[in-house]
Amino acid sequence: MTRPAPASLLTIFGATGDLAQRMLLPSLYSLQAENLLPPGLRILGSARSDLDREAFANLVADAINERIPAIERDETALRGLLERLDYTAASVDDAASMQALAARVSDLRNGDVLYHLSTAPRFYVPACHALGAHGAADARTRVMLEKPIGKDLASAAAINDGVAEVFDEDRVYRVDHYLGKEGVQNLIALRFGNALFEPLWNARHIEQVQITAGETVGVEGRGDYYDDSGAMRDMLQNHLLQLLCLVAMEPPARFEPTAVRNEKIKVLRSLRAIGHGQVVTESVAGQYTAGAIDGVAVPGYVQELGRDSGTETFVALRAHVDNWRWSGVPFYLRTGKRLPSRCTEIYIQFRKVPYSIFGGHAAADMRSNGLLIRLQPEERIELDLMAKTPGLDRSGLRLSQVALDLDFHEEFANQRRRISYERLYLDAIEGNGTLFVRRDETETAWHWVDAILDGWRTAGVAPKPYPAGTWGPGAAVSLIERHGHGWRE
Ligand code: BG6
């Protein structure tokens, strides 16, 4: 597939919103500062607020001044970004304003256009239809959509169908911001840039895989959205399953959109269904109650929400990828709010040595090798190895587990921490969809998750309470210990 031309215009819907202020505008600033934006690129902001160009530019400057540390700020770069800006107020349900927006797009574009719908998902289809109806969507336009795409397979398919009436699939860029994280791309680099791991990357040598995304925050004023969603839809259906795909997929022929996404979809299709007959043993839902994080008391979920709720803020699962490479290897996934620490990591535990030549204490000292890939808060890779404990012991040799530890912030000390939208914008502007999610991926993930959610309903599974500041309900520990494993903490 040939790559489209770089965008000549980026149009952001929801340009005054929270995501824009926190992530999108600062990312565009960074791309500008690093000279990574195409020279003629114009940026058209749009939202309901009736702003003029100058008021929008002020808002952008404020967002950048607030988010980018003073030491990294550069006036020339800021001016360069502001010069690219324009603004048109529009509301998707107001045809006249959408027509005016389409006219502005037509004035500003000088080739390809990237639309970014940073709005509530219910506006995706009407926005695409309005762009189509007003002649602002053609073979040289593409659209970037935020998650969540639906809340189950049926609603996701309805959004995808509606968008597809205007934009062909290869022009739809579905964001999973985890794919824009440096650490996630590093996982791809680690797997496919080293000959070392591939021969071991299979059921013969790997005992279990764990993927954890822990957050210390609660629902942060997003209660209404979150309560309708829960940890399964908010984190597991997308971010955790994407990580699982990258860990489990076969080597793609090339690092390009079709090849990578073809491999990811095979993993999703190989996930063993967890239906109502299995949910009780293979999954755990939890909801935090009042507790403490870092010694600070925090309220429980229902207090934060202000009403009773049966929504899960924690989920743990034992998944299986039923194919030759992974047959029999459990993939333990867990994510939750108000856990003791913010960390996203993948842990691969290798099998034990086939036979121990050591007796006595050394035999008891033996541990399996493990590879830890931590994505956040810091990016590091740790390889747990067995080594001889230094010194002498009357009972003979002793062994200890030691870690080969690669800390990326130390290794690449002059690199600042990036926002994932820097990568995602750069790629979408350049027309590279490799790190975006294809329709079949999102729908296959929903299909799998729907079965679990249905299973919970049928089996009457209610979230088990866990105090804020703990690693979820005790059942999440039993889930893994039943199989002779333990969470890496
Ligand atoms: C979002 C979820 O997709 O990811 C949030 O909607 C969650 O609930 C966030 O807090 C986590 O992202 P990150 O980058 O902080 O790990």
Side-chain angles (χ1 to χ4, degrees):
M1 198 176 22
T2 50
R3 221 195 246 179
S8 65
L9 174 67
L10 163 64
T11 302
I12 307 175
F13 289 79
T16 58
D18 180 60
L19 184 69
Q21 311 244 345
R22 283 187 304 116
M23 304 281 174
L24 310 182
L25 301 168
S27 297
L28 287 169
Y29 165 82
S30 300
L31 292 176
Q32 169 78 32
E34 291 184 43
N35 271 323
L36 289 169
L37 294 178
L41 178 81
R42 304 297 306 271
I43 300 170
L44 175 63
S46 183
R48 283 169 193 270
S49 323
D50 198 11
L51 305 176
D52 58 14
R53 204 202 86 86
E54 204 187 329
F56 180 57
N58 287 339
L59 187 142
V60 172
D62 288 349
I64 286 158
N65 289 332
E66 193 178 320
R67 303 283 160 181
I68 306 278
I71 188 150
E72 285 173 25
R73 247 181 280 139
D74 169 54
E75 281 311 309
T76 320
L78 181 57
R79 229 174 307 119
L81 181 68
L82 299 184
E83 278 163 12
R84 295 175 186 270
L85 297 180
D86 226 300
Y87 183 84
T88 297
S91 163
V92 171
D93 37 28
D94 173 24
S97 71
M98 288 303 284
Q99 190 165 11
L101 178 113
R104 198 78 198 104
V105 166
S106 149
D107 288 347
L108 292 172
R109 71 185 283 188
N110 179 23
D112 283 36
V113 181
L114 170 64
Y115 294 106
H116 183 188
L117 302 187
S118 166
T119 63
R122 68 177 185 282
F123 296 122
Y124 294 171
V125 173
C128 291
H129 282 173
L131 291 172
H134 297 299
D138 55 40
R140 301 196 62 184
T141 57
R142 44 191 185 266
V143 66
M144 198 168 149
L145 304 175
E146 288 298 320
K147 77 170 253 282
I149 306 280
K151 57 173 301 194
D152 53 22
L153 175 56
S155 52
I159 293 178
N160 287 330
D161 283 343
V163 171
E165 282 159 18
V166 183
F167 293 95
D168 292 340
E169 178 59 25
D170 60 350
R171 291 189 284 118
V172 181
Y173 290 62
R174 290 179 196 79
V175 173
D176 182 311
H177 80 279
Y178 269 49
L179 297 182
K181 289 181 189 283
E182 285 279 308
V184 174
Q185 291 153 51
N186 214 354
L187 166 63
I188 303 172
L190 183 81
R191 274 202 67 194
F192 303 117
N194 295 289
L196 196 64
F197 297 112
E198 179 53 26
L200 303 178
W201 212 258
N202 55 52
R204 253 189 92 196
H205 300 285
I206 292 179
E207 165 81 22
Q208 54 142 335
V209 177
Q210 297 180 10
I211 304 178
T212 295
E215 297 185 273
T216 52
V217 291
V219 287
E220 295 183 297
R222 296 158 77 225
D224 284 340
Y225 153 75
Y226 192 86
D227 199 51
D228 204 27
S229 167
M232 182 74 101
R233 293 187 173 94
D234 183 51
M235 291 288 290
L236 198 132
Q237 186 270 346
N238 36 78
H239 308 322
L240 269 76
L241 287 186
Q242 284 292 324
L243 294 179
L244 183 147
C245 284
L246 298 178
V247 171
M249 71 183 183
E250 296 300 313
R254 298 185 67 79
F255 189 56
E256 58 94 60
T258 305
V260 170
R261 300 188 294 185
N262 283 352
E263 295 310 331
K264 287 197 290 170
I265 187 70
K266 286 184 206 160
V267 174
L268 292 167
R269 289 193 183 128
S270 305
L271 281 172
R272 187 185 301 168
I274 302 178
H276 70 270
Q278 297 81 36
V279 282
V280 174
T281 53
E282 306 300 288
S283 73
V284 173
Q287 189 190 79
Y288 62 84
T289 55
I293 295 190
D294 283 338
V296 179
V298 293
Y301 177 68
V302 293
Q303 287 94 47
E304 231 176 291
L305 190 67
R307 57 175 187 270
D308 252 0
S309 166
T311 298
E312 81 288 355
T313 60
F314 174 94
V315 56
L317 288 179
R318 190 171 83 108
H320 282 92
V321 179
D322 281 337
N323 63 15
W324 274 39
R325 185 185 285 263
W326 294 111
S327 179
V329 178
F331 283 73
Y332 297 104
L333 312 181
R334 69 176 167 169
T335 181
K337 302 266 183 207
R338 294 285 194 218
L339 300 186
S341 62
R342 174 171 190 255
C343 79
T344 306
E345 61 186 36
I346 296 161
Y347 177 62
I348 316 275
Q349 191 190 57
F350 293 91
R351 295 202 186 276
K352 291 198 184 83
V353 292
Y355 167 77
S356 174
I357 64 167
F358 307 107
H361 290 303
D365 295 335
M366 283 293 264
R367 302 275 176 278
S368 305
N369 298 125
L371 175 68
L372 176 76
I373 305 164
R374 176 164 291 170
L375 312 173
Q376 46 190 30
E378 82 283 5
E379 247 184 89
R380 70 174 340 120
I381 292 176
E382 251 179 61
L383 182 61
D384 297 332
L385 301 172
M386 293 310 293
K388 181 191 169 299
T389 313
L392 304 175
D393 192 299
R394 281 187 62 211
S395 61
L397 199 84
R398 298 291 316 238
L399 299 178
S400 311
Q401 193 167 47
V402 290
L404 270 181
D405 189 352
L406 174 60
D407 179 328
F408 284 83
H409 293 294
E410 276 173 23
E411 193 64 28
F412 300 104
N414 55 352
Q415 286 290 318
R416 65 184 171 79
R417 198 175 277 275
R418 287 182 185 277
I419 304 175
S420 47
Y421 280 92
E422 296 176 36
R423 168 94 258 158
L424 297 175
Y425 260 155
L426 180 62
D427 284 0
I429 288 169
E430 292 292 327
N432 178 0
T434 312
L435 296 175
F436 293 86
V437 180
R438 207 164 60 185
R439 172 176 186 159
D440 51 359
E441 292 177 71
T442 207
E443 293 185 4
T444 307
W446 274 125
H447 176 72
W448 191 72
V449 158
D450 277 0
I452 304 172
L453 293 171
D454 279 349
W456 283 355
R457 267 188 301 274
T458 320
V461 170
K464 296 184 166 51
Y466 64 95
T470 63
W471 283 103
V477 176
S478 329
L479 170 88
I480 184 167
E481 286 187 348
R482 261 203 305 279
H483 303 280
H485 300 134
W487 293 108
R488 187 186 191 281
E489 258 148 46

